[in-house]
mmCIF file of all heavy atoms in Angstrom:
data_model
loop_
_atom_site.group_PDB
_atom_site.id
_atom_site.type_symbol
_atom_site.label_atom_id
_atom_site.label_comp_id
_atom_site.label_asym_id
_atom_site.label_seq_id
_atom_site.Cartn_x
_atom_site.Cartn_y
_atom_site.Cartn_z
ATOM 1 N N GLU A 100 2.744 9.966 -8.099
ATOM 2 C CA GLU A 100 3.484 8.863 -7.565
ATOM 3 C C GLU A 100 3.705 9.053 -6.066
ATOM 4 O O GLU A 100 3.668 8.150 -5.274
ATOM 5 C CB GLU A 100 4.795 8.670 -8.316
ATOM 6 C CG GLU A 100 5.742 7.638 -7.737
ATOM 7 C CD GLU A 100 5.235 6.202 -7.823
ATOM 8 O OE1 GLU A 100 4.175 5.993 -8.469
ATOM 9 O OE2 GLU A 100 5.888 5.270 -7.244
ATOM 10 N N ALA A 101 4.084 10.284 -5.707
ATOM 11 C CA ALA A 101 4.360 10.633 -4.307
ATOM 12 C C ALA A 101 3.108 10.423 -3.411
ATOM 13 O O ALA A 101 3.187 9.844 -2.303
ATOM 14 C CB ALA A 101 4.810 12.068 -4.190
ATOM 15 N N ARG A 102 1.976 10.807 -3.910
ATOM 16 C CA ARG A 102 0.678 10.527 -3.170
ATOM 17 C C ARG A 102 0.384 9.029 -3.133
ATOM 18 O O ARG A 102 -0.066 8.617 -2.094
ATOM 19 C CB ARG A 102 -0.414 11.293 -3.885
ATOM 20 C CG ARG A 102 -1.830 10.998 -3.360
ATOM 21 C CD ARG A 102 -2.078 11.249 -1.874
ATOM 22 N NE ARG A 102 -1.963 12.672 -1.548
ATOM 23 C CZ ARG A 102 -2.356 13.168 -0.343
ATOM 24 N NH1 ARG A 102 -2.894 12.401 0.578
ATOM 25 N NH2 ARG A 102 -2.151 14.502 -0.129
ATOM 26 N N THR A 103 0.612 8.311 -4.180
ATOM 27 C CA THR A 103 0.375 6.906 -4.181
ATOM 28 C C THR A 103 1.210 6.187 -3.072
ATOM 29 O O THR A 103 0.690 5.388 -2.313
ATOM 30 C CB THR A 103 0.698 6.223 -5.540
ATOM 31 O OG1 THR A 103 0.048 7.017 -6.560
ATOM 32 C CG2 THR A 103 0.307 4.838 -5.614
ATOM 33 N N VAL A 104 2.478 6.528 -2.962
ATOM 34 C CA VAL A 104 3.356 5.968 -2.015
ATOM 35 C C VAL A 104 2.989 6.462 -0.613
ATOM 36 O O VAL A 104 2.988 5.664 0.406
ATOM 37 C CB VAL A 104 4.866 6.339 -2.292
ATOM 38 C CG1 VAL A 104 5.732 5.876 -1.168
ATOM 39 C CG2 VAL A 104 5.266 5.695 -3.626
ATOM 40 N N GLN A 105 2.622 7.703 -0.501
ATOM 41 C CA GLN A 105 2.239 8.282 0.786
ATOM 42 C C GLN A 105 1.042 7.525 1.407
ATOM 43 O O GLN A 105 1.032 7.242 2.617
ATOM 44 C CB GLN A 105 1.828 9.810 0.679
ATOM 45 C CG GLN A 105 1.446 10.482 1.936
ATOM 46 C CD GLN A 105 1.001 11.936 1.672
ATOM 47 O OE1 GLN A 105 0.682 12.329 0.545
ATOM 48 N NE2 GLN A 105 0.981 12.722 2.722
ATOM 49 N N MET A 106 0.085 7.177 0.556
ATOM 50 C CA MET A 106 -1.075 6.487 1.088
ATOM 51 C C MET A 106 -0.831 5.080 1.512
ATOM 52 O O MET A 106 -1.409 4.595 2.480
ATOM 53 C CB MET A 106 -2.267 6.595 0.102
ATOM 54 C CG MET A 106 -2.681 8.061 -0.214
ATOM 55 S SD MET A 106 -2.759 9.194 1.260
ATOM 56 C CE MET A 106 -4.202 8.520 2.136
ATOM 57 N N ILE A 107 -0.011 4.341 0.734
ATOM 58 C CA ILE A 107 0.352 2.992 1.204
ATOM 59 C C ILE A 107 1.114 3.022 2.488
ATOM 60 O O ILE A 107 0.909 2.176 3.375
ATOM 61 C CB ILE A 107 1.057 2.164 0.102
ATOM 62 C CG1 ILE A 107 0.843 0.661 0.344
ATOM 63 C CG2 ILE A 107 2.554 2.487 0.029
ATOM 64 C CD1 ILE A 107 -0.574 0.205 0.211
ATOM 65 N N ASN A 108 2.000 4.057 2.638
ATOM 66 C CA ASN A 108 2.688 4.244 3.920
ATOM 67 C C ASN A 108 1.698 4.504 5.072
ATOM 68 O O ASN A 108 1.865 3.975 6.192
ATOM 69 C CB ASN A 108 3.712 5.341 3.775
ATOM 70 C CG ASN A 108 4.886 4.950 2.936
ATOM 71 O OD1 ASN A 108 5.176 3.842 2.714
ATOM 72 N ND2 ASN A 108 5.603 5.947 2.421
ATOM 73 N N LEU A 109 0.668 5.296 4.747
ATOM 74 C CA LEU A 109 -0.350 5.624 5.796
ATOM 75 C C LEU A 109 -1.044 4.372 6.187
ATOM 76 O O LEU A 109 -1.316 4.120 7.366
ATOM 77 C CB LEU A 109 -1.315 6.670 5.245
ATOM 78 C CG LEU A 109 -2.376 7.234 6.143
ATOM 79 C CD1 LEU A 109 -2.743 8.602 5.758
ATOM 80 C CD2 LEU A 109 -3.674 6.367 6.101
ATOM 81 N N TYR A 110 -1.458 3.512 5.219
ATOM 82 C CA TYR A 110 -2.149 2.314 5.518
ATOM 83 C C TYR A 110 -1.283 1.339 6.459
ATOM 84 O O TYR A 110 -1.750 0.750 7.365
ATOM 85 C CB TYR A 110 -2.507 1.500 4.250
ATOM 86 C CG TYR A 110 -3.602 2.099 3.498
ATOM 87 C CD1 TYR A 110 -3.661 1.976 2.100
ATOM 88 C CD2 TYR A 110 -4.676 2.845 4.098
ATOM 89 C CE1 TYR A 110 -4.716 2.527 1.326
ATOM 90 C CE2 TYR A 110 -5.737 3.392 3.339
ATOM 91 C CZ TYR A 110 -5.708 3.205 1.931
ATOM 92 O OH TYR A 110 -6.719 3.789 1.248
ATOM 93 N N ALA A 111 -0.011 1.264 6.101
ATOM 94 C CA ALA A 111 0.900 0.460 6.891
ATOM 95 C C ALA A 111 1.031 1.005 8.311
ATOM 96 O O ALA A 111 1.021 0.211 9.280
ATOM 97 C CB ALA A 111 2.315 0.451 6.221
ATOM 98 N N GLU A 112 1.071 2.323 8.467
ATOM 99 C CA GLU A 112 1.114 2.941 9.795
ATOM 100 C C GLU A 112 -0.174 2.592 10.586
ATOM 101 O O GLU A 112 -0.092 2.244 11.787
ATOM 102 C CB GLU A 112 1.245 4.450 9.717
ATOM 103 C CG GLU A 112 1.308 5.175 11.072
ATOM 104 C CD GLU A 112 1.288 6.695 10.895
ATOM 105 O OE1 GLU A 112 1.368 7.203 9.769
ATOM 106 O OE2 GLU A 112 1.159 7.346 11.958
ATOM 107 N N PHE A 113 -1.285 2.702 9.929
ATOM 108 C CA PHE A 113 -2.530 2.332 10.607
ATOM 109 C C PHE A 113 -2.594 0.898 11.020
ATOM 110 O O PHE A 113 -2.968 0.569 12.162
ATOM 111 C CB PHE A 113 -3.729 2.668 9.656
ATOM 112 C CG PHE A 113 -5.090 2.194 10.184
ATOM 113 C CD1 PHE A 113 -5.667 2.875 11.203
ATOM 114 C CD2 PHE A 113 -5.648 0.951 9.722
ATOM 115 C CE1 PHE A 113 -6.883 2.392 11.778
ATOM 116 C CE2 PHE A 113 -6.825 0.575 10.281
ATOM 117 C CZ PHE A 113 -7.468 1.214 11.288
ATOM 118 N N ALA A 114 -2.181 0.037 10.109
ATOM 119 C CA ALA A 114 -2.231 -1.394 10.408
ATOM 120 C C ALA A 114 -1.297 -1.751 11.598
ATOM 121 O O ALA A 114 -1.748 -2.489 12.540
ATOM 122 C CB ALA A 114 -1.802 -2.234 9.176
ATOM 123 N N GLU A 115 -0.137 -1.175 11.687
ATOM 124 C CA GLU A 115 0.785 -1.548 12.729
ATOM 125 C C GLU A 115 0.529 -0.801 14.037
ATOM 126 O O GLU A 115 0.595 -1.367 15.124
ATOM 127 C CB GLU A 115 2.228 -1.310 12.192
ATOM 128 C CG GLU A 115 2.476 -2.209 10.991
ATOM 129 C CD GLU A 115 3.989 -2.298 10.606
ATOM 130 O OE1 GLU A 115 4.760 -1.379 11.077
ATOM 131 O OE2 GLU A 115 4.385 -3.246 10.002
ATOM 132 N N LYS A 116 0.181 0.530 13.940
ATOM 133 C CA LYS A 116 0.020 1.321 15.148
ATOM 134 C C LYS A 116 -1.358 1.084 15.796
ATOM 135 O O LYS A 116 -1.451 1.041 17.054
ATOM 136 C CB LYS A 116 0.183 2.786 14.808
ATOM 137 C CG LYS A 116 0.076 3.739 15.952
ATOM 138 C CD LYS A 116 0.278 5.168 15.587
ATOM 139 C CE LYS A 116 0.172 6.102 16.815
ATOM 140 N NZ LYS A 116 0.390 7.516 16.355
ATOM 141 N N TYR A 117 -2.370 0.884 14.978
ATOM 142 C CA TYR A 117 -3.742 0.793 15.539
ATOM 143 C C TYR A 117 -4.264 -0.707 15.588
ATOM 144 O O TYR A 117 -4.852 -1.121 16.580
ATOM 145 C CB TYR A 117 -4.683 1.651 14.785
ATOM 146 C CG TYR A 117 -4.413 3.169 15.009
ATOM 147 C CD1 TYR A 117 -3.572 3.879 14.135
ATOM 148 C CD2 TYR A 117 -4.977 3.839 16.127
ATOM 149 C CE1 TYR A 117 -3.273 5.169 14.386
ATOM 150 C CE2 TYR A 117 -4.626 5.129 16.341
ATOM 151 C CZ TYR A 117 -3.791 5.818 15.485
ATOM 152 O OH TYR A 117 -3.533 7.099 15.743
ATOM 153 N N MET A 118 -4.031 -1.442 14.539
ATOM 154 C CA MET A 118 -4.475 -2.815 14.415
ATOM 155 C C MET A 118 -3.486 -3.726 15.088
ATOM 156 O O MET A 118 -3.774 -4.980 15.334
ATOM 157 C CB MET A 118 -4.633 -3.213 12.972
ATOM 158 C CG MET A 118 -5.775 -2.488 12.263
ATOM 159 S SD MET A 118 -6.028 -3.057 10.545
ATOM 160 C CE MET A 118 -6.599 -4.721 10.805
ATOM 161 N N ALA A 119 -2.259 -3.264 15.406
ATOM 162 C CA ALA A 119 -1.224 -4.131 15.944
ATOM 163 C C ALA A 119 -0.899 -5.299 15.020
ATOM 164 O O ALA A 119 -0.603 -6.378 15.467
ATOM 165 C CB ALA A 119 -1.588 -4.666 17.378
ATOM 166 N N MET A 120 -1.018 -5.057 13.700
ATOM 167 C CA MET A 120 -0.826 -6.045 12.687
ATOM 168 C C MET A 120 0.335 -5.704 11.796
ATOM 169 O O MET A 120 0.317 -4.764 11.090
ATOM 170 C CB MET A 120 -2.131 -6.158 11.850
ATOM 171 C CG MET A 120 -2.061 -7.184 10.753
ATOM 172 S SD MET A 120 -3.642 -7.291 9.815
ATOM 173 C CE MET A 120 -3.538 -5.788 8.800
ATOM 174 N N PRO A 121 1.485 -6.504 11.866
ATOM 175 C CA PRO A 121 2.555 -6.176 11.008
ATOM 176 C C PRO A 121 2.268 -6.482 9.558
ATOM 177 O O PRO A 121 1.534 -7.433 9.202
ATOM 178 C CB PRO A 121 3.594 -7.146 11.550
ATOM 179 C CG PRO A 121 2.842 -8.292 12.118
ATOM 180 C CD PRO A 121 1.601 -7.678 12.680
ATOM 181 N N VAL A 122 2.765 -5.663 8.720
ATOM 182 C CA VAL A 122 2.522 -5.860 7.274
ATOM 183 C C VAL A 122 3.813 -5.729 6.482
ATOM 184 O O VAL A 122 4.804 -5.119 6.929
ATOM 185 C CB VAL A 122 1.496 -4.786 6.728
ATOM 186 C CG1 VAL A 122 0.126 -5.043 7.382
ATOM 187 C CG2 VAL A 122 1.943 -3.358 6.975
ATOM 188 N N ILE A 123 3.794 -6.330 5.293
ATOM 189 C CA ILE A 123 4.868 -6.134 4.367
ATOM 190 C C ILE A 123 4.414 -5.243 3.228
ATOM 191 O O ILE A 123 3.304 -5.465 2.668
ATOM 192 C CB ILE A 123 5.328 -7.502 3.750
ATOM 193 C CG1 ILE A 123 5.943 -8.331 4.866
ATOM 194 C CG2 ILE A 123 6.360 -7.275 2.638
ATOM 195 C CD1 ILE A 123 6.397 -9.756 4.454
ATOM 196 N N GLN A 124 5.149 -4.142 2.968
ATOM 197 C CA GLN A 124 4.802 -3.271 1.885
ATOM 198 C C GLN A 124 5.550 -3.692 0.666
ATOM 199 O O GLN A 124 6.695 -4.059 0.654
ATOM 200 C CB GLN A 124 5.190 -1.804 2.212
ATOM 201 C CG GLN A 124 4.452 -1.226 3.361
ATOM 202 C CD GLN A 124 4.828 0.226 3.592
ATOM 203 O OE1 GLN A 124 4.583 1.051 2.753
ATOM 204 N NE2 GLN A 124 5.401 0.538 4.709
ATOM 205 N N GLY A 125 4.795 -3.627 -0.504
ATOM 206 C CA GLY A 125 5.408 -4.034 -1.756
ATOM 207 C C GLY A 125 4.664 -3.552 -2.955
ATOM 208 O O GLY A 125 3.603 -2.888 -2.866
ATOM 209 N N VAL A 126 5.127 -3.999 -4.110
ATOM 210 C CA VAL A 126 4.547 -3.666 -5.374
ATOM 211 C C VAL A 126 3.970 -4.925 -5.991
ATOM 212 O O VAL A 126 4.558 -6.005 -5.935
ATOM 213 C CB VAL A 126 5.519 -3.062 -6.363
ATOM 214 C CG1 VAL A 126 4.909 -2.682 -7.703
ATOM 215 C CG2 VAL A 126 6.194 -1.843 -5.726
ATOM 216 N N LYS A 127 2.749 -4.847 -6.579
ATOM 217 C CA LYS A 127 2.151 -6.002 -7.182
ATOM 218 C C LYS A 127 2.813 -6.329 -8.544
ATOM 219 O O LYS A 127 3.285 -5.398 -9.200
ATOM 220 C CB LYS A 127 0.619 -5.750 -7.478
ATOM 221 C CG LYS A 127 -0.190 -5.757 -6.136
ATOM 222 C CD LYS A 127 -0.379 -7.176 -5.595
ATOM 223 C CE LYS A 127 -1.336 -7.247 -4.461
ATOM 224 N NZ LYS A 127 -1.409 -8.580 -3.845
ATOM 225 N N SER A 128 2.798 -7.556 -8.913
ATOM 226 C CA SER A 128 3.205 -7.965 -10.265
ATOM 227 C C SER A 128 2.229 -7.380 -11.280
ATOM 228 O O SER A 128 1.076 -7.033 -10.870
ATOM 229 C CB SER A 128 3.291 -9.504 -10.427
ATOM 230 O OG SER A 128 2.069 -10.065 -10.275
ATOM 231 N N GLU A 129 2.613 -7.371 -12.536
ATOM 232 C CA GLU A 129 1.666 -6.810 -13.532
ATOM 233 C C GLU A 129 0.341 -7.479 -13.571
ATOM 234 O O GLU A 129 -0.714 -6.831 -13.694
ATOM 235 C CB GLU A 129 2.341 -6.897 -14.935
ATOM 236 C CG GLU A 129 1.527 -6.260 -16.022
ATOM 237 C CD GLU A 129 2.281 -6.249 -17.333
ATOM 238 O OE1 GLU A 129 3.491 -6.621 -17.403
ATOM 239 O OE2 GLU A 129 1.647 -5.877 -18.385
ATOM 240 N N SER A 130 0.291 -8.783 -13.460
ATOM 241 C CA SER A 130 -0.967 -9.521 -13.528
ATOM 242 C C SER A 130 -1.908 -9.355 -12.280
ATOM 243 O O SER A 130 -3.032 -9.614 -12.315
ATOM 244 C CB SER A 130 -0.704 -11.016 -13.723
ATOM 245 O OG SER A 130 -0.021 -11.576 -12.648
ATOM 246 N N GLU A 131 -1.228 -8.948 -11.203
ATOM 247 C CA GLU A 131 -1.973 -8.696 -9.934
ATOM 248 C C GLU A 131 -2.331 -7.233 -9.674
ATOM 249 O O GLU A 131 -2.987 -6.945 -8.712
ATOM 250 C CB GLU A 131 -1.153 -9.267 -8.745
ATOM 251 C CG GLU A 131 -0.927 -10.754 -8.748
ATOM 252 C CD GLU A 131 -2.212 -11.539 -8.381
ATOM 253 O OE1 GLU A 131 -3.004 -11.031 -7.580
ATOM 254 O OE2 GLU A 131 -2.369 -12.610 -8.905
ATOM 255 N N ARG A 132 -1.998 -6.373 -10.643
ATOM 256 C CA ARG A 132 -2.342 -4.972 -10.503
ATOM 257 C C ARG A 132 -3.835 -4.760 -10.562
ATOM 258 O O ARG A 132 -4.615 -5.507 -11.194
ATOM 259 C CB ARG A 132 -1.668 -4.128 -11.567
ATOM 260 C CG ARG A 132 -0.143 -3.970 -11.394
ATOM 261 C CD ARG A 132 0.348 -3.182 -12.599
ATOM 262 N NE ARG A 132 1.799 -3.241 -12.653
ATOM 263 C CZ ARG A 132 2.535 -2.996 -13.767
ATOM 264 N NH1 ARG A 132 1.890 -2.669 -14.906
ATOM 265 N NH2 ARG A 132 3.790 -3.073 -13.800
ATOM 266 N N PHE A 133 -4.230 -3.603 -10.004
ATOM 267 C CA PHE A 133 -5.591 -3.126 -10.194
ATOM 268 C C PHE A 133 -5.885 -2.838 -11.643
ATOM 269 O O PHE A 133 -5.004 -2.360 -12.382
ATOM 270 C CB PHE A 133 -5.755 -1.829 -9.346
ATOM 271 C CG PHE A 133 -7.106 -1.140 -9.517
ATOM 272 C CD1 PHE A 133 -8.202 -1.721 -8.791
ATOM 273 C CD2 PHE A 133 -7.285 -0.025 -10.218
ATOM 274 C CE1 PHE A 133 -9.449 -1.048 -8.944
ATOM 275 C CE2 PHE A 133 -8.483 0.603 -10.391
ATOM 276 C CZ PHE A 133 -9.553 0.090 -9.687
ATOM 277 N N ALA A 134 -7.094 -3.183 -12.107
ATOM 278 C CA ALA A 134 -7.447 -3.014 -13.511
ATOM 279 C C ALA A 134 -7.373 -1.567 -13.916
ATOM 280 O O ALA A 134 -8.091 -0.733 -13.371
ATOM 281 C CB ALA A 134 -8.846 -3.602 -13.769
ATOM 282 N N GLY A 135 -6.456 -1.315 -14.842
ATOM 283 C CA GLY A 135 -6.306 0.080 -15.349
ATOM 284 C C GLY A 135 -5.198 0.877 -14.706
ATOM 285 O O GLY A 135 -4.924 2.014 -15.066
ATOM 286 N N ALA A 136 -4.421 0.223 -13.803
ATOM 287 C CA ALA A 136 -3.318 0.892 -13.085
ATOM 288 C C ALA A 136 -2.005 0.642 -13.814
ATOM 289 O O ALA A 136 -1.790 -0.357 -14.390
ATOM 290 C CB ALA A 136 -3.317 0.502 -11.621
ATOM 291 N N LEU A 137 -1.118 1.647 -13.669
ATOM 292 C CA LEU A 137 0.255 1.468 -14.131
ATOM 293 C C LEU A 137 1.048 0.689 -13.107
ATOM 294 O O LEU A 137 1.981 -0.063 -13.417
ATOM 295 C CB LEU A 137 0.933 2.819 -14.322
ATOM 296 C CG LEU A 137 0.345 3.709 -15.464
ATOM 297 C CD1 LEU A 137 1.238 4.928 -15.579
ATOM 298 C CD2 LEU A 137 0.228 3.010 -16.784
ATOM 299 N N ASN A 138 0.629 0.861 -11.817
ATOM 300 C CA ASN A 138 1.367 0.265 -10.706
ATOM 301 C C ASN A 138 0.450 0.186 -9.521
ATOM 302 O O ASN A 138 -0.328 1.094 -9.303
ATOM 303 C CB ASN A 138 2.607 1.032 -10.377
ATOM 304 C CG ASN A 138 3.760 0.218 -9.810
ATOM 305 O OD1 ASN A 138 3.556 -0.989 -9.661
ATOM 306 N ND2 ASN A 138 4.887 0.809 -9.565
ATOM 307 N N THR A 139 0.550 -0.917 -8.749
ATOM 308 C CA THR A 139 -0.265 -1.052 -7.489
ATOM 309 C C THR A 139 0.694 -1.398 -6.362
ATOM 310 O O THR A 139 1.478 -2.298 -6.419
ATOM 311 C CB THR A 139 -1.289 -2.202 -7.690
ATOM 312 O OG1 THR A 139 -2.260 -1.739 -8.588
ATOM 313 C CG2 THR A 139 -1.962 -2.542 -6.337
ATOM 314 N N TYR A 140 0.578 -0.570 -5.287
ATOM 315 C CA TYR A 140 1.260 -0.818 -4.043
ATOM 316 C C TYR A 140 0.331 -1.520 -3.066
ATOM 317 O O TYR A 140 -0.907 -1.260 -3.075
ATOM 318 C CB TYR A 140 1.759 0.414 -3.397
ATOM 319 C CG TYR A 140 2.850 1.204 -4.240
ATOM 320 C CD1 TYR A 140 2.482 2.101 -5.181
ATOM 321 C CD2 TYR A 140 4.167 0.944 -3.977
ATOM 322 C CE1 TYR A 140 3.485 2.770 -5.929
ATOM 323 C CE2 TYR A 140 5.162 1.573 -4.743
ATOM 324 C CZ TYR A 140 4.835 2.463 -5.694
ATOM 325 O OH TYR A 140 5.765 3.155 -6.417
ATOM 326 N N THR A 141 0.893 -2.425 -2.279
ATOM 327 C CA THR A 141 0.025 -3.179 -1.321
ATOM 328 C C THR A 141 0.642 -3.346 -0.003
ATOM 329 O O THR A 141 1.861 -3.200 0.147
ATOM 330 C CB THR A 141 -0.195 -4.602 -1.980
ATOM 331 O OG1 THR A 141 -1.104 -5.321 -1.123
ATOM 332 C CG2 THR A 141 1.087 -5.351 -2.126
ATOM 333 N N ILE A 142 -0.186 -3.617 1.014
ATOM 334 C CA ILE A 142 0.315 -4.125 2.287
ATOM 335 C C ILE A 142 -0.255 -5.535 2.522
ATOM 336 O O ILE A 142 -1.477 -5.708 2.316
ATOM 337 C CB ILE A 142 -0.082 -3.160 3.455
ATOM 338 C CG1 ILE A 142 -1.586 -2.915 3.558
ATOM 339 C CG2 ILE A 142 0.694 -1.890 3.422
ATOM 340 C CD1 ILE A 142 -2.030 -2.155 4.823
#
């Protein structure tokens, strides 16, 4: 779980620091999760 969160934080940092693109970090609803995942984080 710590690695999962770490990587979505990394993506957010890349988007904002390099792409100059603000993002909202969050968790997907059950129906929007990746197939086979317990939980999906998104930007």
Side-chain angles (χ1 to χ4, degrees):
E100 173 68 6
R102 169 61 63 167
T103 308
V104 173
Q105 179 182 19
M106 299 317 291
I107 203 65
N108 288 340
L109 184 151
Y110 288 150
E112 179 186 355
F113 172 77
E115 299 193 338
K116 182 177 179 181
Y117 293 92
M118 295 180 67
M120 182 178 74
V122 294
I123 294 176
Q124 296 184 62
V126 181
K127 288 289 188 182
S128 64
E129 185 176 351
S130 64
E131 293 288 326
R132 288 177 193 161
F133 177 75
L137 299 182
N138 211 355
T139 290
Y140 294 89
T141 183
I142 54 172

